[in-house]
Amino acid sequence: MKRLGEETKQANERLTAMVKRLEEQQRQNTILTEMRDMLQACSKMEETAPIIMGLMKKLFPASQGALFLLSNSRSDLESIVTWGDFPTSSDNNIFPPDACWGLRRGHAHVVDDVNVGPICPHLINTPSRLMSACR
């Protein structure tokens, strides 16, 4: 009986953890759907920045980041919005496309250990974990 009780307790803990993961996934899906709907309703590019900033804060409340767009000259990426504690210095807000490993490689560039992996040259303040999700 004691072993059965312990197995039941462990099964309940696993189920509780799974439910929490599913609830978080549903929360994220709801936010992404809201973002998609809001962005599709935009009639001007200028309307997108506050939507993205607000919903990124909801989606990743403890994160920092920025959205960069390629300039008309196609020579620089310029931040149109930042969130969290993302540095706002001009050096971090404009950079050439080849300064980003994510853009060079065509997919997200994740660095788990900043002492080992290549860091994007456009970053001045390097966090402890880095994801350059540029495409």
Side-chain angles (χ1 to χ4, degrees):
M1 287 299 274
K2 187 175 181 180
R3 185 177 60 87
L4 184 59
E6 186 61 35
E7 288 174 1
T8 302
K9 180 181 174 186
Q10 289 175 357
N12 282 336
E13 288 172 356
R14 286 191 305 272
L15 285 172
T16 300
M18 189 181 303
V19 167
K20 285 182 181 181
R21 283 193 305 270
L22 289 171
E23 287 172 343
E24 177 59 18
Q25 187 175 18
Q26 179 60 39
R27 183 190 76 79
Q28 291 174 354
N29 287 339
T30 300
I31 293 169
L32 289 171
T33 299
E34 180 183 0
M35 184 183 292
R36 182 200 65 213
D37 292 345
M38 295 292 292
L39 291 174
Q40 286 179 339
C42 291
S43 60
K44 300 176 193 168
M45 185 62 124
E46 296 80 29
E47 295 174 328
T48 62
I51 292 168
I52 292 168
M53 179 182 65
L55 292 173
M56 291 304 286
K57 284 181 178 180
K58 280 176 70 174
L59 192 59
F60 304 111
S63 74
Q64 63 179 12
L67 174 65
F68 291 85
L69 292 181
L70 195 57
S71 65
N72 290 336
S73 66
R74 304 188 66 77
S75 62
D76 291 310
L77 287 151
E78 301 175 44
S79 71
I80 62 164
V81 67
T82 64
W83 59 90
D85 292 329
F86 190 85
T88 56
S89 69
S90 61
D91 290 345
N92 273 338
N93 294 339
I94 298 176
F95 62 89
D98 67 345
C100 180
W101 280 98
L103 287 172
R104 286 190 212 172
R105 298 176 65 214
H107 57 85
H109 176 66
V110 179
V111 177
D112 289 318
D113 183 351
V114 296
N115 297 313
V116 176
I119 305 299
C120 290
H122 65 87
L123 294 174
I124 292 174
N125 301 318
T126 306
S128 59
R129 186 171 191 277
L130 171 69
M131 181 170 126
S132 181
C134 304
R135 289 199 121 183

